[in-house]
Amino acid sequence: MENVSSNIKVRPAASGKAERSKSGFWLVVLGAALWGADPLFRIILLKEHMTATQIVLIEHILLVLFVAPMLWKHRSELKGLKLRHVGALLFLSWGGSAIATILFTQGLSSGNLNAVVLLQKLQPIFAILMAKLLLREKLPKHFTWLFIVALAGTYLLTFGFTFPFGHVNDFVKVGSLFSLGAAALWGGSTVMGRLMVGKMEYETVTSLRFILALPLLIGITINQGDPWQVHTDGGTLAAVSINMLGQALLPGLFSLMVYYKGLTTTKASVATLAELSFPMVSVLINWIVFHQVVTPTQAVGFILIWAALFMISRKSAA
C-alpha cells in the first residue's frame, strides 16, 4: 500500500519494469531470429556430403568444448540428483539435443525447407500435452478445438490440399515428418526443463544437455558406419569449419542463452509474437539463398497454427 500513496515510488518502479519487459521482448526476438539462421548452416554442410548424424556430432563436440568449464564451475549441483532428475536430463540430452537435432537436419535434406521450418511452431502444443501427462498441469480452455485447428494447419503445411497416401513411399519420405518428430522432442524437452527448475542453475542444465548427448551421438555415428566425405582441400575444409563453428555458437549456444534471458521478463502470450522472428528469418533465408517461396497453402497452414498457439498462450497466461 505504500507505493499507492507515493507517486515518487510508483513511477520509477513501473518504468523500470516496463523497460525490462521491453528489453526482454527484443531479446526473445533476437534469440528466435538466430534460430532462423540454423537451416542455412545445416543445408550448406549437407551439400558437402555430410550426414545429419555427422553434422550433429561435430556440432556437439564444439559445444562441449565451450560448456565443459561451465559444468566444472557448477559441479557441486550434481550431488543429490534423484532418479527423476536423471531421467529428465537424459530426455533433454538424448531426445531434445541429439535425436531431435538429427531429425530436424534430416528433414532439411529430404523435404520442403519452408514446411520443415514452419512446423517447428508446433513445439508449444507438444509441450502443453506432455505437461498435462507428466506434470498434471491443467489444459487451457478450449484446448481441444484449438489443437484441431493446429492439426489442420499442420496438414496444410505438410501435404497441402492433396491426400498423402496415394504413394506410400512418397509419404514415408516426407521431410515434414522428421520435423514433426523434432518438434515433439523439443516440446517435451521444455517440460523436462521445468522438472529441473529449482534443482540446478540454467547454465548447469544447458551444459549437461550437450555433454550427455555426446556418447549417444558417437554410438549412433559408429553404428551407421557412413564414410566421412568432406573434401580435404584447404578452401573447402576452412569453409566447413567456419560453418560448423557458426552453427554451434550462433543458432546453438548464444541464441539459447539470449532467448531464456529475455523470457524471464516476457509474458508467454507476448513471447509467442516475438518468436515469429524464427520462421520469418528462416523463410526469408530460404527465399533469398535457396529460392524457395512460401506457397499460399503453406501460408494458410502457418496462419492456422500461429492463431491456435496465440489463443492458447493467451488463455494460459490468463
Side-chain angles (χ1 to χ4, degrees), residues 182-212:
L185 288 171
W186 278 328
S189 295
T190 300
V191 180
M192 295 300 109
R194 289 176 187 169
L195 289 175
M196 302 306 298
V197 172
K199 181 62 180 176
M200 290 180 169
E201 294 290 337
Y202 173 70
E203 295 87 349
T204 309
V205 178
T206 302
S207 54
L208 285 172
R209 172 175 178 152
F210 297 132
I211 292 173
L212 292 177

Side-chain angles (χ1 to χ4, degrees), residues 1-308:
M1 294 298 293
E2 293 179 356
N3 286 341
V4 176
S5 62
S6 174
N7 290 333
I8 297 176
K9 293 180 181 179
V10 170
R11 287 177 181 173
S15 176
K17 184 176 181 180
E19 287 298 321
R20 288 194 301 271
S21 177
K22 185 177 179 180
S23 62
F25 173 84
W26 289 111
L27 285 175
V28 173
V29 170
L30 176 59
L34 289 172
W35 294 342
D38 185 76
L40 174 62
F41 293 104
R42 295 188 188 278
I43 292 170
I44 292 175
L45 293 169
L46 286 167
K47 289 184 177 180
E48 292 298 329
H49 306 292
M50 297 178 66
T51 67
T53 305
Q54 290 169 350
I55 293 173
V56 177
L57 172 62
I58 297 177
E59 175 188 7
H60 276 70
I61 291 174
L62 293 173
L63 286 168
V64 167
L65 293 176
F66 283 94
V67 301
M70 194 184 302
L71 180 62
W72 178 256
K73 179 181 178 181
H74 298 278
R75 63 188 182 280
S76 59
E77 297 182 24
L78 298 178
K79 297 178 181 178
L81 285 178
K82 297 181 180 178
L83 187 61
R84 62 191 179 98
H85 297 133
V86 175
L89 287 171
L90 288 178
F91 189 98
L92 277 170
S93 58
W94 291 4
S97 194
I99 299 175
T101 313
I102 291 174
L103 289 175
F104 180 72
T105 307
Q106 187 64 41
L108 292 173
S109 68
S110 56
N112 182 281
L113 299 183
N114 288 332
V116 170
V117 168
L118 295 177
L119 282 171
Q120 292 309 305
K121 289 300 293 178
L122 284 172
Q123 288 182 38
I125 296 288
F126 292 110
I128 291 172
L129 289 174
M130 289 196 67
K132 168 66 175 178
L133 294 174
L134 299 179
L135 304 182
R136 299 294 188 268
E137 291 187 2
K138 188 177 180 180
L139 291 176
K141 192 176 181 181
H142 305 309
F143 176 80
T144 301
W145 290 108
L146 293 171
F147 180 65
I148 292 174
V149 172
L151 286 180
T154 303
Y155 185 93
L156 290 178
L157 268 177
T158 307
F159 305 114
F161 292 109
T162 61
F163 191 67
F165 299 102
H167 300 86
V168 177
N169 290 334
D170 292 337
F171 172 72
V172 173
K173 293 179 181 179
V174 172
S176 300
L177 297 180
F178 291 113
S179 183
L180 285 173
L185 288 171
W186 278 328
S189 295
T190 300
V191 180
M192 295 300 109
R194 289 176 187 169
L195 289 175
M196 302 306 298
V197 172
K199 181 62 180 176
M200 290 180 169
E201 294 290 337
Y202 173 70
E203 295 87 349
T204 309
V205 178
T206 302
S207 54
L208 285 172
R209 172 175 178 152
F210 297 132
I211 292 173
L212 292 177
L214 195 55
L216 177 65
L217 288 168
I218 293 174
I220 293 175
T221 305
I222 294 175
N223 182 64
Q224 287 182 344
D226 293 317
W228 294 79
Q229 299 180 8
V230 179
H231 298 290
T232 56
D233 61 278
T236 303
L237 191 59
V240 169
S241 300
I242 292 173
N243 270 283
M244 286 300 315
L245 190 61
Q247 174 188 301
L249 296 184
L250 287 179
L253 185 60
F254 181 68
S255 65
L256 208 59
M257 295 295 185
V258 170
Y259 174 80
Y260 277 102
K261 175 66 175 176
L263 205 59
T264 59
T265 57
T266 307
K267 293 181 179 179
S269 56
V270 178
T272 302
L273 290 171
E275 289 171 16
L276 283 176
S277 60
F278 163 47
M280 286 178 181
V281 170
S282 289
V283 168
L284 185 62
I285 290 176
N286 291 343
W287 174 47
I288 295 175
V289 180
F290 304 111
H291 310 293
Q292 289 208 5
V293 181
V294 176
T295 65
T297 305
Q298 289 176 333
V300 172
F302 175 70
I303 290 172
L304 288 176
I305 292 174
W306 180 81

